């Protein structure tokens, strides 16, 4: 059923009069005075009682009524007069004394007073508190339940007298309604299980009573209908309740007290039609501007509307102000005791922190309401009041939240904000597990974004606490839960219908969760926080002086939080985007300065120190060491004891001056801060670079340093453990392996190294350096290259360090995967900015191996180039000089063994020159102080080059010279052939391109022609449409254009043996000539398409089936037909019109002909029609046109039109009537030819009809 408002669908579709005379007001039938007859006086005399100025004490009046023994009517009218003045207690007292006087009469006389007394008790019940007010004793306060019990006693007494007394049904229904309001709502039952709670059963009893009242009143008791609708509403059956309220409004459109429009709006609100609800309440307010219920309900509507906007949104303020000042405040002025108004106003004073007012309003809402939801709002206000105190009483707040939840049913049906408040109390009480459990239940039922936000934050805090404590515990499940919940909240922000305001705390939590495993996502979250903060700034538009948006954005960043900018810079630093990191750190420093200017009490020194240190680290990573030193020195000028800055300065000195200033700075640092683990780690690194190799690891200075750190400072120092592993690994690599004993000792040393690495991994599972040491041990000790590749690949994804790529290059070289090895070395070189000679030496080695494997001189030349670059970076390293000489020797050997066709004279000469350089280098290396290999071996290699290889290359030069001279002509011819082949291919390619271009040009020209043709056809079609319109329309007497009227046309259908219209005799044996003439006439008539087509299609013909029969008929009678190409002109002769009328009359009179006669006649009257020009021709139409063309080719040419030929054969009569065209203009295609009526008859009869 469609919603009915004001008796009509969709609200105020008609305007009802506002005449108060037709509105039935309460107590309107109570007279202004009443005459009480007095015994002993004359019959006409009586005591007049003014019912508008009643006595405060009705005792004297009751005595008079008792003495005079008046009837029940007087008692009831006087009681109602007191009730009209809200003196309900006096009214009940009067009725009680009246019932005492009626005990001596007929018991049925008591039914009226008892019923009225019951209603007064129900009235008192609505005004009485439902719970005992604070500070009042039980003996002095009567609650709602007391008056309901009194009303029940009245009803029971009346029912004993006459249980079928009609007014009792309505009173019982209201009594059950009020009793149900005191019963707690039922908890949600399982699916499929009926609700049998006390409250539901009471409401069902109420509905039964109201239906009984309707039954006895034959459906005319509208109060019973309203009561039943109210009971349905309480049961949650809003559609049924809406039907009841609409029924009352339809039958009593002027009813205002109670107003069914209020109920209609409430039902529509619950059904989700909030705008329609507002219209219903506004209509109620139009009819009664003093309606407190309509005012407060409209206030609630606008409060709900304002909740769709953020408090900072410009649209929020006007809507909320309208809700509170226009409607809620007016409702409060009309009735300060109305529970719903008190609960609504309480939330306003809650924001103003007027705690006393909130407490007063909340308790009024709780004590005087008959609606459990309003009582729930009251308890919720009290809970929030306790919760928001500076020193909150969590026990009271928890109790009030629970009462607010239970007032709405509790469990799954409870009050979501109250349950959310319980969660907050549990968090304050550190009951995190209980809070999580309650939040999960809330999310399962409501998908609340606030609940998901809090639950995600709780899981995230668990993860952060575990990380801070250092306890080894798998928190991956909590991380997943937290990210899933917070990402769901983040996704909900994008839904425009929800109008949610993004919360930056969610993004900060996500950034912390993503920091380790997904730093890119963490950076995206922080950047979103940055954009949100900038967008919320009041002056975010760039001024005139700033040209670009980027410059203005950089300016606005200085107003952001320095911590946020510093975090974004750190993520850029870790991603090696040092320029962006430096920009954010500098902006963060400027933000610190502005923050200090805004609030002088803010201590920004710690922030400035940390951000400056990060900026210096960025300079250092970008290679700007001088700028980094300047920042570090500035930090030390402010904080002399800043050990981290001193440590980085010492490291820079070691990098820049590893022999002089570096060791001095390191010694000074170690002397002052030897207890600092970071300093000790740097000192261990320095020892690993500067120490001399000790023959025994126990005597190694670096080993002693790490051992001392583990024994006396921190046994779990991960750097020292990893350093010890590196020491044992290096020692094992250099140990002898001649005997089995040496091999066993070497294996145990590798195992010792792995033990240290494993200990470091136990303390830090993400220690990639320890994992890399284990992978190196696998390669060197067990030759497990495959497992090592897997380990190094995983480490590469974790640590962006050149050593990982170097080790991968080593493993790939051992696996003879030289290309992948070169890629790894080059990646390591890129990370080290091409300044590491060791990586260059490794590249030279692998290129040498690749050259030897592929026998490629170019690869060996590349190896020689890398070896030269390594020597340039470290000229004092003698082994780099040995590498160059060794590569030159290998290149000379390769050039020597290559056949003449694969080398050139220039290659051999350069190899010979390189050999001489290598011989000289070997001599110098052998005479050096610390040669990389034994001097005897180096000298032997030099002698081999001097004696054997020199002669080999000399012979190679001679043979290569002879080979090239001998094959010079062949080589020249081959070059010419190759050049000719190249030119031929280029010419073929050019011709193919020219041919393709010509084809493309042809296609473009054809497209242009087709476009031109289309334009011409469109113009022609437009012109034809214009002419057709001119032919169809004319000007009437008033000068307006009107469509021409068409006259009905038709021809008489002749039977065999009847005379024709021209007087020609034709019997049953008519010759072929007569038949041929008739066919020619029909062909002439078929030149206009619309009439026959319209008659067959519009008046019952089936176009598809007729088209099929038409095609068959044409193929059968092909030789007897032709298509006229002439234009059919109109005939102005009166004879033509008469003949057409006779023909039409003849066709209409021959409907009773048999099938045989009809078919014969149809063969003679076959109609061919010309297609409209603007119709799409289908396949059947194309076949028909081809048939017609063949017929035209078979016909003898004639210079006469079809109409002239028919006229000659018929004796000068055309036998057809055309459309009225007095000017003789060609008839348009839409005008039908003669024979339309005949075509209609043929179509109706179902006989085959040819219509084209």
């Amino acid at each position: 059923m469609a919603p009915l408002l004001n008796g009509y669908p969709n609200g105020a579709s008609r305007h009802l009069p506002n005449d108060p005379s037709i509105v039935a007001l309460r107590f309107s039938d109570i007279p202004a005075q009443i005459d009480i007859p007095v015994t002993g006086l004359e019959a006409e005399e009586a005591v007049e009682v003014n019912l508008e100025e009643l006595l405060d004490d009705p005792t004297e009046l009751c005595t008079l009524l008792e003495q005079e023994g008046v009837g029940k009517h007087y008692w009831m009218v006087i009681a109602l007069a007191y009730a009209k003045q809200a003196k309900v207690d006096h009214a009940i007292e009067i009725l009680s004394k009246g019932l005492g006087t009626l005990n001596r009469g007929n018991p049925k006389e008591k039914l009226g007073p008892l019923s009225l007394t019951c209603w007064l008790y129900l009235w008192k019940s609505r005004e009485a508190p439902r719970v005992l007010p604070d500070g009042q004793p039980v003996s002095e306060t009567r609650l709602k339940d007391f008056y309901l019990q009194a009303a029940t006693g009245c009803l029971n007494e009346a029912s004993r007298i006459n249980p079928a007394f009609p007014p009792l049904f309505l009173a019982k229904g209201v009594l059950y309604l009020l009793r149900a309001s005191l019963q707690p709502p039922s908890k949600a039952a399982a699916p499929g299980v009926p609700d049998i709670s006390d409250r539901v059963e009471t409401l069902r009893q109420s509905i039964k009573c109201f239906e009984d009242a309707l039954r006895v009143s034959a459906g005319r008791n509208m109060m019973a209908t309203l009561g039943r609708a109210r009971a349905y509403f309480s049961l949650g059956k809003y559609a049924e309740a809406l039907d009841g309220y609409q029924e009352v409004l339809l039958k009593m459109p002027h009813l205002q007290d109670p107003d069914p429009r209020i109920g209609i709006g409430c039902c529509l609100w619950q059904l989700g039609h909030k705008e329609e609800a507002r219209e219903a309440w506004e209509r109620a307010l139009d009819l009664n501007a003093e309606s407190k219920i309509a005012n407060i309900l409209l206030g609630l509507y606008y409060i709900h509307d304002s909740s769709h906007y953020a408090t900072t949104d410009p649209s929020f303020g006007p809507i909320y102000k309208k809700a509170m000042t226009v409607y809620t405040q007016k409702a409060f002025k009309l009735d300060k005791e109305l529970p719903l108004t008190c609960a609504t106003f309480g939330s306003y004073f809650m924001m103003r922190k007027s705690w006393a007012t909130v407490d007063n309003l909340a308790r009024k809402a709780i004590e005087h309401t008959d609606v459990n939801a309003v009582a729930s709002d009251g308890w919720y206000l009290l809970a929030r009041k306790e919760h928001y105190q500076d020193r909150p009483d969590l026990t009271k707040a928890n109790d009030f939240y629970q009462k607010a939840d239970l007032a709405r049913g509790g469990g799954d049906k409870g009050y979501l904000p109250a349950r959310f408040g319980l969660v907050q109390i549990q968090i304050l009480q550190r009951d995190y597990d209980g809070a999580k459990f309650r939040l999960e239940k809330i999310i399962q039922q409501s998908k609340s974004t606030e609940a998901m936000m809090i639950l995600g934050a709780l899981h995230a805090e668990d993860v952060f606490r575990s990380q801070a404590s250092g306890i080894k515990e798998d928190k991956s499940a909590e991380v997943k839960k937290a990210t899933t919940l917070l990402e769901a909240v983040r996704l909900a922000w994008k839904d425009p219908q929800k109008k949610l305001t993004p919360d930056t705390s969610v993004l900060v939590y996500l950034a912390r969760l993503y920091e380790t495993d997904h730093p890119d996502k963490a950076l995206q979250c922080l950047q979103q926080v940055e954009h949100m903060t900038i967008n919320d700034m009041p002056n975010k538009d760039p001024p005139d002086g700033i040209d670009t948006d980027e410059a203005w954005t950089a300016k606005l960043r200085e107003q952001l939080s320095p911590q946020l900018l510093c975090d974004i810079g750190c993520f850029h630093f870790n991603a090696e985007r040092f320029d962006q990191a430096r920009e954010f750190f500098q902006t963060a420093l400027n933000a610190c300065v502005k923050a200090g200017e805004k609030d002088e009490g803010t201590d920004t020194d710690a922030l400035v120190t940390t951000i400056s240190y990060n900026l210096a680290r960025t300079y250092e990573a970008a290679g700007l060491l001088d700028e980094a030193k300047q920042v570090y020195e500035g930090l030390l000028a402010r904080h002399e004891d800043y050990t981290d800055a001193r440590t980085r300065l010492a490291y820079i000195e070691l990098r820049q001056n590893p022999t002089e200033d570096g060791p001095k700075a390191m010694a000074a640092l170690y002397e002052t801060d030897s207890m600092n683990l970071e300093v000790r780690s740097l000192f261990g690194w320095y020892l690993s670079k500067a120490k001399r190799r000790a023959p025994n690891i126990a005597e190694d200075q670096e080993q002693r340093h790490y051992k001392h750190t583990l024994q006396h400072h921190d046994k779990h120092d991960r750097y020292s453990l990893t350093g010890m592993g590196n020491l044992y690994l290096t020692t094992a690599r250099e140990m002898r392996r001649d005997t089995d004993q040496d091999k066993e000792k070497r294996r145990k040393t590798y195992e010792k190294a792995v033990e240290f690495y494993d200990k470091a991994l136990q303390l830090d599972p993400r220690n990639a350096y320890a994992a890399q040491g284990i992978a190196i041990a696998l390669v060197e000790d067990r030759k497990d290259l495959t497992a090592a590749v897997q380990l190094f690949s995983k480490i590469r994804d974790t640590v962006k360090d050149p050593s990982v790529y170097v080790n991968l290059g080593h493993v790939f070289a051992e696996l003879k995967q030289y290309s992948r090895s070169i890629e790894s070395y080059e990646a390591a070189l890129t990370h080290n900015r091409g300044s590491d000679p060791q990586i260059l030496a490794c590249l030279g080695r692998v290129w040498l191996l690749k050259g030897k494997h592929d026998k490629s001189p170019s690869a060996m030349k590349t190896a020689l180039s890398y070896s030269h670059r390594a020597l340039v970076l470290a000229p004092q390293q003698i082994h780099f000089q040995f590498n160059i000489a060794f590569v030159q020797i290998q290149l000379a050997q390769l050039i020597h063994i290559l056949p003449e066709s694969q080398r050139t004279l220039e290659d051999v000469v350069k190899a010979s020159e390189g050999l001489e350089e290598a011989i000289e280098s070997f001599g110098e290396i052998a005479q050096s102080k610390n040669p990389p290999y034994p001097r005897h071996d180096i000298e032997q290699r030099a002698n081999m080059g001097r004696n054997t290889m020199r002669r080999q290359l000399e012979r190679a030069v001679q043979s290569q010279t002879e080979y090239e001279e001998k094959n010079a002509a062949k080589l020249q011819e081959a070059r010419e052939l190759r050049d000719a082949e190249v030119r031929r291919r280029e010419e073929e390619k050019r011709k193919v391109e020219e041919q393709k271009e010509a084809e493309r040009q042809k296609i473009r020209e054809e497209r242009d022609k087709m476009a031109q043709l289309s334009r011409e056809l469109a113009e022609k079609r437009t012109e034809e449409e214009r002419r057709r319109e001119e032919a169809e329309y004319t000007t009437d007497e008033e000068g307006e254009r009107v469509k021409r009227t068409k006259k009905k046309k038709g021809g008489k259908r002749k039977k065999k043996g009847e005379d024709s219209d021209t007087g020609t005799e034709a019997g049953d044996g008519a010759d072929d000539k007569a038949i041929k003439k008739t066919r020619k006439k029909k062909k002439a008539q078929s030149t206009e398409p619309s009439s026959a087509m319209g008659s067959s299609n519009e008046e019952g013909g089936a176009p598809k089936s007729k088209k099929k029969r038409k095609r068959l008929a044409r193929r059968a009678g092909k030789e007897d037909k032709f298509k006229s190409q002439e234009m059919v002109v109109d005939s102005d002769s009166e004879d033509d019109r008469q003949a057409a009328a006779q023909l039409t009359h003849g066709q209409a009179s021959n409907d009773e002909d048999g099938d045989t006669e009809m078919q014969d006649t149809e063969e003679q009257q076959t109609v061919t029609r010309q297609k409209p020009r603007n119709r799409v021709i289908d396949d059947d139409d194309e076949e028909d046109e081809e048939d017609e063309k063949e017929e035209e080719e078979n016909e003898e040419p004639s210079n006469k039109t079809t109409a002239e030929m028919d006229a000659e054969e018929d004796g000068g009569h055309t036998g057809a009537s055309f459309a009225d065209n007095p000017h003789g203009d060609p008839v348009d295609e839409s005008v039908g030819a003669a024979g339309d009526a005949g075509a209609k008859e043929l179509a109706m009869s179902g006989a085959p009809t040819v219509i084209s």
Side-chain angles (χ1 to χ4, degrees), residues 503-512 515 519 521-537 553 556-573 580-592 595 607-608 610-611 614:
D503 191 343
T504 55
S505 63
V506 174
L507 298 170
V508 173
Y509 271 116
L510 282 172
R512 292 187 65 184
E515 180 180 1
K521 292 184 179 179
L523 178 59
Q524 290 176 4
C525 294
L526 294 180
Q527 288 174 340
Q528 188 175 352
V529 173
E530 175 196 357
H531 295 157
M532 288 167 53
T533 310
I534 290 176
N535 291 334
D536 292 339
M537 291 181 180
T553 302
L556 290 176
R557 284 198 185 106
E558 296 180 359
Q559 303 179 25
L560 299 178
S561 168
Q563 295 91 333
L564 173 63
L565 297 171
C566 182
D567 290 342
I568 295 176
C570 290
F571 279 107
H572 283 301
F573 178 87
Q580 298 180 31
R582 183 172 68 250
E583 178 183 350
F584 273 94
F585 288 139
Q586 290 173 345
T587 306
L589 288 175
N590 296 335
C592 289
L607 277 175
V608 171
T610 302
I611 297 170
N614 291 340

Side-chain angles (χ1 to χ4, degrees), residues 469-662:
S469 64
I471 300 174
K472 296 178 183 179
E473 188 177 358
D474 186 13
K475 290 291 183 179
S476 58
E478 283 76 6
V479 172
K480 185 177 180 180
K481 289 179 182 179
T483 52
T484 302
L485 291 167
L486 296 176
E487 284 291 355
V489 175
R490 189 181 180 188
L491 183 63
W493 296 343
K494 300 178 182 179
D495 190 351
Q497 295 180 352
K498 296 182 178 179
K499 296 182 181 180
L500 297 175
T501 302
D503 191 343
T504 55
S505 63
V506 174
L507 298 170
V508 173
Y509 271 116
L510 282 172
R512 292 187 65 184
L513 291 169
Y514 285 138
E515 180 180 1
T516 303
D517 296 329
H518 304 283
D520 52 339
K521 292 184 179 179
L523 178 59
Q524 290 176 4
C525 294
L526 294 180
Q527 288 174 340
Q528 188 175 352
V529 173
E530 175 196 357
H531 295 157
M532 288 167 53
T533 310
I534 290 176
N535 291 334
D536 292 339
M537 291 181 180
N539 300 322
K540 62 180 180 181
D541 296 329
D544 298 334
I546 297 179
D547 298 334
T548 61
D549 294 339
E550 291 78 4
W552 179 239
T553 302
K555 192 72 175 176
L556 290 176
R557 284 198 185 106
E558 296 180 359
Q559 303 179 25
L560 299 178
S561 168
Q563 295 91 333
L564 173 63
L565 297 171
C566 182
D567 290 342
I568 295 176
C570 290
F571 279 107
H572 283 301
F573 178 87
N574 292 332
E576 299 183 0
R577 294 186 290 268
F578 302 121
D579 293 338
Q580 298 180 31
R582 183 172 68 250
E583 178 183 350
F584 273 94
F585 288 139
Q586 290 173 345
T587 306
L589 288 175
N590 296 335
C592 289
V593 175
K594 291 195 174 183
E597 293 175 355
K598 292 180 181 178
D599 187 3
E600 295 181 357
T602 304
D603 184 12
T604 59
D605 182 69
L607 277 175
V608 171
T609 303
T610 302
I611 297 170
S612 299
Y613 178 80
N614 291 340
L615 178 61
R617 291 286 289 114
T618 306
Y619 282 133
E620 185 181 346
L624 305 174
L625 300 182
D626 293 337
E627 289 83 350
K629 288 175 64 177
Q630 185 177 357
V631 176
Y632 287 137
E633 290 170 355
L635 286 173
L636 290 174
R638 296 169 56 191
H639 302 282
E640 296 180 359
D641 56 345
Y642 195 4
T643 305
D644 290 336
R646 295 185 62 203
T647 303
R648 300 311 303 178
L649 274 176
Y651 175 74
I652 293 174
E653 290 294 340
L654 286 172
R655 292 282 303 274
Q656 291 182 333
N657 300 298
T659 57
E660 298 180 1
D661 294 340

Side-chain angles (χ1 to χ4, degrees), residues 795-812:
I795 297 168
R796 177 186 58 189
D797 298 335
T798 305
V799 178
K800 304 296 182 182
D801 190 84
S803 62
V804 183
Y805 294 95
V806 171
N807 290 325
L808 269 174
H810 293 341
V811 177
F812 284 131

